[in-house]
Amino acid sequence: MTQLTTEDVLARTLKQMMETTSLDHITIGKLANAAHINRNTFYYHFDDIYELLRWTYKQDILMQLQQYTQIDRWEHAYQLMLDYIVDNKHFCQESLRSVARELLENFLYSAATGMVERVVISVDANTPAKISHAITDFYAWAIVMQVVQWLDSDLEESKDDMIKKSRDCA
C-alpha cells in the first residue's frame, strides 16, 4: 500500500472540506486540525491555502497528463477532463467561486491546450508555430469558458452534450 505524503493528506483534506465549506472560509487551523497535523507542519510544506490549492491542481494535472499521453483523439482527452470535474465537482465549483478562480482556469487551460495542440498538429504539421499557438490558445480558452459555464450551471448538460458542442464548433 502506498504511503501518502503530508502534501497528499493536506490536498485530500482540502478537497473533503470544500465539499461543505467554501475555500474562502477554510483556515489553516481548521485544515491542519482536520488533517491531524499541526499548523507548523502545514507551513513547512505550503505558504498558504492557495499554494496548497495550486499544488493540488498541479498534481491532478500530472495525473491527467499521464493518461493523455495514451490518447489518440481529443474527444477522449476532453472526456477525461469532464470526468475529473464530475469526480471533483464541489472542489472545482468552490475553486471557481473563490478568489483563487484563476487556479482552476489555469488547470483547465493546461489540459485543454494539450488536447487542442494535438488537433492542430494533426490537421497540418507544417503550420507555422505562431499561427499554431494562436489557434491553440483560442480554442483552449474556448473550452475553458465552456467548462466554466458548465460548472456555473451545476453540470446541467451531460458530458456527451458537452463533447458534441465542442465537436460542432471545431
Side-chain angles (χ1 to χ4, degrees), residues 15 56-71 75-88 92 104 107-108 110-112 114-115 118 147 159:
K15 283 183 173 184
T56 304
Y57 278 125
K58 185 176 180 179
Q59 294 307 304
D60 289 347
I61 288 171
L62 293 176
M63 295 292 282
Q64 293 285 67
L65 289 178
Q66 289 173 355
Q67 294 177 5
Y68 287 160
T69 61
Q70 307 300 320
I71 296 175
E75 291 97 337
H76 295 135
Y78 195 31
Q79 179 74 42
L80 280 176
M81 179 193 290
L82 298 177
D83 288 344
Y84 173 84
I85 290 168
V86 169
D87 293 344
N88 296 278
C92 292
L104 173 63
F107 164 74
L108 295 171
S110 177
M115 287 186 290
R118 288 182 178 192
V147 171
K159 291 183 284 187

Side-chain angles (χ1 to χ4, degrees), residues 17 19 29 32 35 44 48 66 79 87 112 118 139 160 168:
M17 290 181 75
E19 290 285 325
Y44 177 77
D48 57 29
Q66 289 173 355
Q79 179 74 42
D87 293 344
R118 288 182 178 192
Y139 282 103
D160 289 339
D168 291 346

Side-chain angles (χ1 to χ4, degrees), residues 53-141:
L53 183 65
R54 188 176 301 109
W55 183 90
T56 304
Y57 278 125
K58 185 176 180 179
Q59 294 307 304
D60 289 347
I61 288 171
L62 293 176
M63 295 292 282
Q64 293 285 67
L65 289 178
Q66 289 173 355
Q67 294 177 5
Y68 287 160
T69 61
Q70 307 300 320
I71 296 175
D72 57 348
R73 297 185 59 214
W74 71 267
E75 291 97 337
H76 295 135
Y78 195 31
Q79 179 74 42
L80 280 176
M81 179 193 290
L82 298 177
D83 288 344
Y84 173 84
I85 290 168
V86 169
D87 293 344
N88 296 278
K89 178 181 171 182
H90 292 291
F91 179 65
C92 292
Q93 285 178 323
E94 289 305 321
S95 294
L96 190 65
R97 294 179 187 128
S98 76
V99 295
R101 176 187 182 112
E102 78 280 353
L103 294 176
L104 173 63
E105 290 175 349
N106 290 338
F107 164 74
L108 295 171
Y109 177 77
S110 177
T113 298
M115 287 186 290
V116 175
E117 280 176 338
R118 288 182 178 192
V119 173
V120 171
I121 290 169
S122 71
V123 169
D124 184 359
N126 297 319
T127 302
K130 188 173 183 177
I131 293 171
S132 178
H133 177 72
I135 293 168
T136 299
D137 190 57
F138 178 84
Y139 282 103
W141 279 115

